[in-house]
Amino acid sequence: MHLEFLRNMKLLYYVILSFWYVFSLLPMRIHYVNSYLLYLLVYRLMRYRIKVVRRNLKESFPEKNEDELRRIERGFYHFFCDYLVESVKLMTISKKNITKRMTFKGTELLEEAIRDGQSCAIYLGHLCNWEWVTSLPFWITPEAHCAQIYHPIENKAFDKLFLRLRQRLGAECIAMQDTLRKVVEYRRKNTPVVIGFISDQKPHWVNIHHWVDFLHHDTPVLTGTERIVRKMNYAVFFLDIRRVRRGYYEAEIKLMTREPQKMKDYEITDIYFKMLEQSICQSPDMWLWSHNRWSRTREEFNERFEVIDGKVIAKDHPANR
């Protein structure tokens, strides 16, 4: 039974890969025609997560009227469909094409830290095309090993497919649960690294240690990235991405600190979310509003959990009885 399941997953992988590869060969202008058709299907017909998107927008921008919110809403769905077809294109896009469409500013800051023997961490969010950020290895010294932290997909076939997609431009994917082990391994081997952390996800209940005021919400945030960069003394940067025009993005690398161990607890996390909020407010239709980001509240957390010696423990846990 287990062998049959593995064979089915392998077959599914190659079937999807074949279709994905063939479609990715289409020119971008055809992809954007497909994007518009997707927009009609996803937004106009299916109304994909429309309630979540509208609630998130209304609560995040209380100062905007209904017309302004609907304009952002439509812009988001157009962008989201562009993101999907651009991700398809990533399967076969050439170095020449991707470096023309995804440019980076401020890479000299990374180079300076690497020359000084300091590895680098880059905070970014689900803003603009985060998949194309995997082209960063084309823009910095080959002496630095580029990687990004990712959350494995439960379906093995899709997980293998996205690993192939995200690693084809030279950046290694590191499963979230393996992050600390890998960064320790890099240090032991004296390998300078530049690691991207998408840190605007919703944390699990037991991983909530800090809250920030983010887009008019009391927001639980991931703090694991901060613990790692402080422990490893990484230079810390924020990647501010904007869409120049359709299919073209510019990512500016901005220094947060070269001395993370001198920062107060959660100060780096606070700075990151302030910078991310500024970027979102400049291009509000470019963020992933379909994510149910604020489903966990402080009130529910306080009712169900307590913090003991820095660990989050459920109040009905046997240790509390």
Side-chain angles (χ1 to χ4, degrees), residues 248-311:
Y248 291 83
Y249 302 89
E250 182 180 85
E252 184 175 359
I253 296 163
K254 297 181 176 180
L255 178 66
M256 293 170 67
T257 181
R258 288 284 302 272
E259 299 179 304
Q261 294 175 344
K262 292 184 179 181
M263 306 286 278
K264 298 177 182 177
D265 287 347
Y266 307 126
E267 185 176 0
I268 294 173
T269 301
D270 290 342
I271 293 172
Y272 160 66
F273 275 97
K274 281 185 172 59
M275 297 179 78
L276 179 61
E277 182 175 289
Q278 290 173 358
S279 295
I280 293 171
C281 289
Q282 289 173 3
S283 303
D285 52 341
M286 294 285 114
W287 196 53
L288 192 62
W289 294 104
S290 54
H291 178 40
N292 196 6
R293 183 68 180 81
W294 292 287
S295 61
R296 294 185 179 129
T297 65
R298 194 190 292 256
E299 291 74 19
E300 184 177 359
F301 178 83
N302 290 337
E303 287 178 6
R304 296 176 53 191
F305 301 91
E306 58 184 331
V307 181
I308 301 176
D309 296 329
K311 294 183 178 180

Side-chain angles (χ1 to χ4, degrees), residues 16-249:
I16 298 173
L17 175 61
S18 300
F19 278 102
W20 195 322
Y21 186 90
V22 170
F23 275 105
S24 73
L25 294 172
L26 295 171
M28 287 304 301
R29 64 180 180 276
I30 302 300
H31 280 296
Y32 287 129
V33 171
N34 291 336
S35 174
Y36 181 70
L37 296 176
L38 270 176
Y39 168 79
L40 295 178
L41 175 65
V42 171
Y43 179 51
R44 298 296 185 182
L45 184 61
M46 293 175 55
R47 312 294 279 173
Y48 172 71
R49 294 200 173 187
I50 190 70
K51 291 182 179 180
V52 173
V53 171
R54 287 184 175 174
R55 182 178 67 247
N56 285 344
L57 287 173
K58 186 173 183 178
E59 293 176 354
S60 297
F61 301 109
E63 75 284 0
K64 296 186 182 299
N65 60 40
E66 285 298 315
D67 287 342
E68 292 173 309
L69 293 175
R70 287 296 181 271
R71 195 156 47 242
I72 296 172
E73 176 186 301
R74 291 191 296 271
F76 160 70
Y77 279 99
H78 275 299
F79 152 70
F80 180 67
C81 293
D82 280 359
Y83 158 79
L84 293 177
V85 300
E86 288 168 0
S87 297
V88 169
K89 187 64 179 178
L90 185 58
M91 179 65 73
T92 58
I93 196 167
S94 67
K95 176 181 178 180
K96 180 180 179 181
N97 199 1
I98 191 68
T99 53
K100 181 175 66 174
R101 291 177 173 275
M102 185 79 196
T103 61
F104 290 84
K105 291 174 58 179
T107 54
E108 68 278 0
L109 299 174
L110 300 177
E111 302 273 1
E112 181 182 350
I114 295 297
R115 284 196 303 270
D116 292 342
Q118 190 175 24
S119 288
C120 305
I122 300 178
Y123 277 83
L124 64 152
H126 288 91
L127 185 70
C128 295
N129 193 322
W130 57 92
E131 300 291 355
W132 282 10
V133 174
T134 58
S135 62
L136 179 61
F138 294 141
W139 292 83
I140 63 174
T141 173
E143 296 177 7
H145 179 69
C146 290
Q148 63 265 343
I149 309 304
Y150 85 106
H151 193 284
I153 301 171
E154 289 186 15
N155 185 289
K156 299 299 182 184
F158 279 98
D159 188 56
K160 186 178 179 181
L161 186 67
F162 274 90
L163 278 176
R164 179 190 181 107
L165 182 74
R166 290 166 174 166
Q167 294 185 137
R168 70 169 294 264
L169 300 181
E172 178 188 7
C173 280
I174 301 172
M176 189 177 294
Q177 65 270 20
D178 296 331
T179 305
L180 185 57
R181 178 182 63 82
K182 290 294 292 187
V183 297
V184 170
E185 180 182 317
Y186 294 140
R187 168 169 284 188
R188 190 174 64 248
K189 294 180 178 178
N190 292 318
T191 302
V193 293
V194 177
I195 304 180
F197 296 83
I198 298 183
S199 298
D200 57 350
Q201 303 103 319
K202 178 174 61 178
H204 293 297
W205 286 109
V206 295
N207 291 327
I208 295 176
H209 300 281
H210 186 55
W211 300 73
V212 300
D213 181 9
F214 176 58
L215 292 170
H216 296 281
H217 292 86
D218 190 19
T219 308
V221 295
L222 292 171
T223 55
T225 302
E226 177 171 331
R227 291 196 297 272
I228 289 171
V229 300
R230 286 165 63 94
K231 183 179 181 66
M232 297 295 159
N233 197 35
Y234 281 3
V236 187
F237 302 89
F238 173 71
L239 194 66
D240 188 8
I241 312 175
R242 67 184 186 92
R243 184 159 75 167
V244 181
R245 65 182 191 275
R246 195 178 197 184
Y248 291 83
Y249 302 89

